[in-house]
Amino acid sequence: MEYCSKCANKNIFSYIDGNKRFHCEKCKTIHYQNPKPTATLICMKGHQMLLGRRALSPAKGKWGLIGGFMELNETIQQAAERELYEETNLKGRVHEFVGICSHFNTVFGDVLLIGMTMEIEDWSLLKAGDDVSEVQFFNISTLPELAFESHKKLVNIFRQKTSNS
Ligand SMILES: [Zn+2]
């Protein structure tokens, strides 16, 4: 984003076409940036919700939902299954989309969290993996403080949906 990919001039970050964007003053090319879609997983075992203790910054040491960024050449479902396996050693499938939530200005830029419930094949395989130091079940009514406001919002959407059904 620092230099124009078209003419190699240094980019500036200021208003152009109604929004603040990186763009080149010389050739007028706008260098668009987009939010990163993130698979954010709600894994329930009865009334117990699976959380991971974050091993890395941001919010290192805090409890959060399992999940991570989508990569190229994968669907959101594949991203969900991959992140589930990487972080918890569990195999599972997306069961239902719960809701979405935007998180702006994170250290990774803007993030679009896509919340979904997962169906787990075999809970006995559970083991903390990449990016989490610990995995643990918590009763949905007594969750610890969550790492991000966006995770709280998704959990609240999930709570409302399940209490209405
Ligand atoms: Zn340029």
Side-chain angles (χ1 to χ4, degrees):
M1 283 300 152
E2 205 179 341
Y3 295 96
C4 178
S5 55
K6 206 168 170 186
C7 76
N9 194 41
K10 201 163 165 58
N11 283 324
I12 59 165
F13 187 74
S14 69
Y15 276 93
I16 182 165
D17 283 357
N19 207 346
K20 274 189 174 177
R21 300 175 171 114
F22 282 102
H23 64 276
C24 175
E25 282 187 300
K26 200 164 141 196
C27 77
K28 303 294 176 199
T29 299
I30 300 175
H31 300 274
Y32 289 97
Q33 291 178 291
N34 307 93
K36 288 193 166 89
T38 305
T40 308
L41 312 183
I42 293 181
C43 307
M44 296 298 294
K45 189 184 178 192
H47 293 289
Q48 303 277 96
M49 183 178 279
L50 181 68
L51 298 179
R53 196 191 276 279
R54 299 177 55 81
L56 305 170
S57 286
K60 185 180 173 180
K62 287 201 169 178
W63 293 98
L65 295 171
I66 302 301
F69 295 122
M70 257 180 107
E71 291 183 18
L72 297 182
N73 295 307
E74 68 182 0
T75 64
I76 191 71
Q77 288 91 345
Q78 287 167 335
E81 291 169 17
R82 176 181 53 74
E83 289 290 344
L84 177 72
Y85 184 68
E86 286 174 4
E87 296 190 358
T88 69
N89 196 46
L90 295 170
K91 293 274 177 69
R93 298 275 170 276
V94 173
H95 175 61
E96 227 172 9
F97 287 92
V98 172
I100 56 173
C101 182
S102 291
H103 190 178
F104 303 110
N105 296 311
T106 78
V107 293
F108 306 108
D110 287 0
V111 174
L112 177 70
L113 294 96
I114 300 161
M116 53 204 120
T117 53
M118 299 297 284
E119 232 165 51
I120 307 301
E121 281 175 26
D122 179 1
W123 282 110
S124 72
L125 300 172
L126 179 62
K127 193 176 71 176
D130 290 354
D131 305 342
V132 290
S133 59
E134 208 182 327
V135 279
Q136 197 178 307
F137 291 104
F138 292 91
N139 193 298
I140 181 135
S141 55
T142 54
L143 294 179
E145 179 71 13
L146 295 180
F148 307 110
E149 199 57 38
S150 50
H151 285 195
K152 287 181 209 168
K153 281 185 193 161
L154 286 176
V155 168
N156 284 337
I157 294 170
F158 173 74
R159 275 191 184 128
Q160 277 172 358
K161 283 195 171 179
T162 48
S163 68
N164 290 338
S165 59

